[in-house]
Amino acid sequence: MKKRIKTLLLSVLTEKNAIITEEIGICSIAAYLRKENFDVELINSSRKYLDLERIYEMKPDLIGLPVYSTTEKVVYEVCKKIKEKVPNAKICFGAYWPTLCGDILMEKYPMVDFIIKGEGEIVFKNLVTAMENDSGYSNVKGLLYRDGDKIIENEREALIEDLDSLPFPERDLLRNNMLKYAYISTSRGCKANCSFCWHNDFWGTNGKNQWRGRSPENVVREVKQIVDEYNVNRFWFIDDSFEDCNKSCPNRMWEIAEKIIENNLHISYETYFRAEVYKQFDEKKIKLLKDSGFVGTIFGIESGNAEDLKLYNKPATAEDNYNTIKYFRDNDIAIDIGFINFNPYSTIKRLSENVDYLEKTCFASVLYYLVERCGITKFSNIYYKVKGDGLIINDDIDSCHSYRYVDEDVGKLSVYLYFKYHENENSKEYFYSKKIGSYIREEFKLLNHIKRQFPEFLSTIKAHEDYAWEVLHKVNKNNAKCFRELLSMTEGGWNKDKADKITEEYWNLKYFKSTSDDLERNRLSLYLKLNKAGIEPKQYFNI
């Protein structure tokens, strides 16, 4: 008699990244399995709040977990605890990190039974089928598995060409966590080729990144279903770059917007774009997207200087990076960016141009952008350049920041700032600087959502926005001045004592806390006014 396999798809977050959202990959796999009548449960949680007792009682036969470079250790810790209580459970890792280095992870963690490379729907279904039929794993494409002491890697499974053929992802995580914010993937792959990125390995079965998009009709049908069934009206379109399209649907982005409007879906949504996208817009097109609910975006700016943009293989110029921020802000679209300030080839000149760009766009108010350095993932294009130049210190997969800098003093500045203001999670300076940064990175997008849903409070919200910008411009100026003094000191020869003195003057706990408190009072004051008018936080917050 065929065995019935009980599957658990589990997403575990670190405390540092413990904002509960949907994990769309496992949600899509769950839908694919349930369509074939397999027994599947979905859970996501931070490590701290994970209900392990529920998992012990469930006694799953197979546990599938997405693993990222930032979550590898916590996922392992959780799996270790589960295996102590449910020793017969099989463990399967998936997502981009196992795709890049699956054999290394299996050697590192003997408790891992399987790894799925690339897209998971077909591979996971075939894995469960093989387990139920006890037919072995040699024919399951896209799978790494153990055969005694050997790790066997099968050939890759072909990509799913017709994304419209997939069932819509399950929304257990949206429902169970009472989220007000739904994730939708309208495409897979990316048409760019950034040198630090892993997408060619994940989305390409032959080393070539292969983009595929869902039809506008299919996308909007899913949006409507979520609005109707879950009363959710805020969305994140998580495509690598929303403007990507193919010859069969060259106006895909505009058609999605048109169909949202045609279906009277009063939603708001955010996207990712490449910086040069502003060139595709005119007055009519920006109005179309705004009318459909477009309120915020993230641009992969990455740098404010031409040399680093060339290193990262970015198609946009430094001028594009400025123009796109100005264009979308002028049209009341909230902006966040990706930014890599330091890399192994950073110079004082390049860093000076970066801080000039950040200050000009008010992103120097986000300390994270000033201290961020390039994570060099093994097998990315930039990895081979850095390795070829003899700058890699540690070639382990855990060491994406383990490289030397051509300018050793710049390297010392980078390491100093990164570990003082990014990696030191127990630091109160880190905590309050992150809260300040969250205003420009998250709060303005939320406020645009509230303005769209409750336009009668537009003037009230605008007053609070204006005050927040006033505070952030002061932070922006202060942070840029501090960074320039650090650069000036470093140019004359790195000196940690001088760096401590400079950062203590500008980036001390009192400064971070008082600024954060000021922004928090402004934020809470607005929410109290909205609440008094009958608009409760649960109408727009994930609470």
Side-chain angles (χ1 to χ4, degrees):
M1 182 179 176
K2 186 168 78 169
K3 181 182 179 183
R4 179 81 168 163
I5 295 296
K6 187 182 294 185
T7 299
L8 169 63
L9 297 175
L10 172 63
S11 171
V12 182
L13 302 172
T14 65
E15 280 67 44
K16 184 177 181 179
N17 300 306
I19 298 174
I20 298 299
T21 60
E22 294 183 282
E23 177 71 54
I24 207 69
I26 60 173
C27 293
S28 184
I29 292 172
Y32 197 79
L33 293 174
R34 285 176 181 171
K35 185 180 177 183
E36 301 292 330
N37 297 315
F38 289 105
D39 184 0
V40 186
E41 290 287 336
L42 273 166
I43 297 176
N44 66 336
S45 174
S46 66
R47 168 181 50 183
K48 184 176 181 181
Y49 296 106
L50 180 62
D51 186 354
L52 287 168
E53 290 300 326
R54 178 186 171 192
I55 297 173
Y56 301 155
E57 292 173 7
M58 191 184 302
K59 291 187 172 60
D61 301 296
L62 175 62
I63 305 174
L65 306 101
V67 182
Y68 307 99
S69 58
T70 54
T71 65
E72 177 193 328
K73 292 179 181 177
V74 297
V75 169
Y76 166 71
E77 290 169 9
V78 166
C79 288
K80 187 177 178 181
K81 289 181 179 178
I82 294 173
K83 288 285 280 186
E84 288 172 358
K85 298 289 186 177
V86 193
N88 293 326
K90 299 288 188 183
I91 303 295
C92 178
F93 283 178
Y96 85 85
W97 195 234
T99 296
L100 293 178
C101 44
D103 54 340
I104 299 172
L105 290 174
M106 289 191 78
E107 289 173 0
K108 188 174 179 180
Y109 303 119
M111 72 170 59
V112 177
D113 301 283
F114 309 108
I115 277 178
I116 289 176
K117 301 190 76 168
E119 290 178 333
E121 290 89 353
I122 294 174
V123 185
F124 210 101
K125 185 202 113 175
N126 291 341
L127 169 60
V128 177
T129 300
M131 290 179 66
E132 289 193 341
N133 295 331
D134 196 23
S135 57
Y137 309 111
S138 60
N139 293 321
V140 181
K141 294 180 180 180
L143 188 71
L144 274 74
Y145 65 98
R146 299 185 188 277
D147 184 3
D149 295 334
K150 296 180 181 178
I151 297 172
I152 308 297
E153 180 173 350
N154 295 338
E155 66 176 297
R156 288 284 290 270
E157 178 61 72
L159 294 174
I160 300 168
E161 293 295 336
D162 181 10
L163 298 184
D164 284 7
S165 68
L166 292 171
F168 296 153
E170 295 289 353
R171 297 293 169 177
D172 302 39
L173 306 182
L174 185 75
R175 180 184 63 249
N176 296 342
N177 293 295
M178 295 181 289
L179 302 178
K180 301 296 182 185
Y181 201 157
Y183 279 21
I184 288 188
S185 172
T186 83
S187 68
R188 294 182 180 183
C190 179
K191 293 202 166 184
N193 189 26
C194 301
S195 64
F196 50 79
C197 192
W198 44 265
H199 286 192
N200 279 351
D201 292 284
F202 188 83
W203 295 118
T205 55
N206 57 3
K208 184 180 179 181
N209 194 337
Q210 298 184 40
W211 183 91
R212 295 139 296 142
R214 295 165 58 189
S215 67
E217 295 82 2
N218 185 263
V219 171
V220 176
R221 217 165 30 244
E222 184 183 10
V223 171
K224 187 174 188 310
Q225 182 188 79
I226 293 170
V227 171
D228 291 344
E229 292 186 16
Y230 302 100
N231 195 30
V232 167
N233 57 18
R234 190 177 179 202
F235 293 83
W236 183 268
F237 292 162
I238 61 170
D239 308 38
D240 292 315
S241 209
F242 189 54
E243 77 271 28
D244 281 344
C245 59
N246 54 25
K247 292 179 181 178
S248 65
C249 192
N251 298 311
R252 182 175 170 276
M253 172 171 63
W254 317 114
E255 289 182 23
I256 289 173
E258 286 170 352
K259 291 186 183 302
I260 289 172
I261 295 169
E262 288 170 8
N263 281 270
N264 295 313
L265 297 171
H266 193 62
I267 65 169
S268 63
Y269 63 89
E270 300 159 38
T271 68
Y272 291 97
F273 277 132
R274 284 190 287 278
E276 65 275 15
V277 74
Y278 75 97
K279 297 174 183 177
Q280 297 184 30
F281 280 80
D282 56 27
E283 186 176 343
K284 183 178 177 181
K285 287 180 176 177
I286 190 65
K287 183 179 185 304
L288 171 63
L289 255 66
K290 288 185 68 175
D291 286 348
S292 71
F294 176 46
V295 297
T297 190
I298 296 179
F299 293 110
I301 298 295
E302 312 310 348
S303 178
N305 71 79
E307 291 87 353
D308 284 347
L309 290 172
K310 182 178 180 181
L311 174 68
Y312 302 146
N313 197 34
K314 302 295 291 185
T317 65
E319 184 180 9
D320 287 333
N321 286 344
Y322 174 73
N323 288 340
T324 200
I325 300 298
K326 184 178 187 306
Y327 178 81
F328 284 96
R329 278 188 179 156
D330 285 349
N331 282 283
D332 197 28
I333 301 299
I335 307 295
D336 190 15
I337 61 173
F339 201 85
I340 305 169
N341 199 22
F342 289 93
N343 64 64
Y345 306 96
S346 291
T347 63
I348 297 295
K349 177 179 178 295
R350 294 187 191 184
L351 292 169
S352 295
E353 291 179 30
N354 281 353
V355 73
D356 288 348
Y357 170 81
L358 290 172
E359 184 177 26
K360 190 175 182 180
T361 57
C362 201
F363 281 114
S365 61
V366 183
L367 185 62
Y368 171 83
Y369 297 136
L370 290 168
V371 307
E372 178 68 337
R373 53 185 181 156
C374 188
I376 298 180
T377 306
K378 204 167 186 178
F379 312 124
S380 62
N381 289 336
I382 196 172
Y383 164 81
Y384 292 109
K385 173 174 173 52
V386 175
K387 186 176 176 65
D389 290 340
L391 298 174
I392 295 291
I393 297 172
N394 188 338
D395 222 3
D396 292 343
I397 61 168
D398 298 331
S399 306
C400 62
H401 293 117
S402 188
Y403 48 76
R404 282 185 288 274
Y405 290 74
V406 173
D407 184 322
E408 293 184 5
D409 283 335
V410 166
K412 290 173 183 176
L413 171 64
S414 172
V415 172
Y416 171 85
L417 291 176
Y418 190 80
F419 284 96
K420 186 170 185 177
Y421 295 108
H422 187 283
E423 284 296 285
N424 187 5
E425 296 177 38
N426 295 321
S427 159
K428 290 184 178 180
E429 287 88 349
Y430 168 88
F431 174 78
Y432 288 112
S433 68
K434 188 175 180 181
K435 285 189 71 175
I436 295 168
S438 73
Y439 222 105
I440 200 168
R441 302 192 72 188
E442 298 295 335
E443 188 71 10
F444 289 135
K445 287 183 280 187
L446 174 61
L447 292 181
N448 274 1
H449 166 72
I450 298 173
K451 283 188 288 186
R452 177 168 170 77
Q453 298 302 320
F454 308 102
E456 64 271 26
F457 294 98
L458 184 62
S459 60
T460 301
I461 296 169
K462 184 69 167 58
H464 284 264
E465 275 186 310
D466 289 346
Y467 182 78
W469 275 116
E470 183 181 326
V471 173
L472 289 169
H473 278 296
K474 292 177 183 177
V475 176
N476 184 61
K477 184 177 180 180
N478 178 78
N479 287 358
K481 186 175 182 182
C482 179
F483 192 79
R484 289 193 182 97
E485 288 196 17
L486 288 167
L487 286 181
S488 179
M489 177 274 295
T490 303
E491 190 171 26
W494 169 255
N495 185 303
K496 182 179 179 300
D497 290 338
K498 290 182 179 179
D500 285 339
K501 186 176 180 180
I502 293 168
T503 54
E504 180 56 31
E505 179 181 353
Y506 293 97
W507 293 341
N508 56 73
L509 177 58
K510 183 179 178 180
Y511 161 71
F512 283 133
K513 186 177 185 306
S514 62
T515 305
S516 173
D517 288 348
D518 194 5
L519 288 169
E520 189 67 13
R521 281 191 295 271
N522 181 59
R523 185 199 321 248
L524 292 177
S525 172
L526 173 61
Y527 298 157
L528 287 171
K529 288 177 184 177
L530 293 174
N531 190 64
K532 190 175 181 180
I535 302 172
E536 299 178 64
K538 67 181 181 181
Q539 292 178 255
Y540 49 86
F541 268 143
N542 283 338
I543 58 173

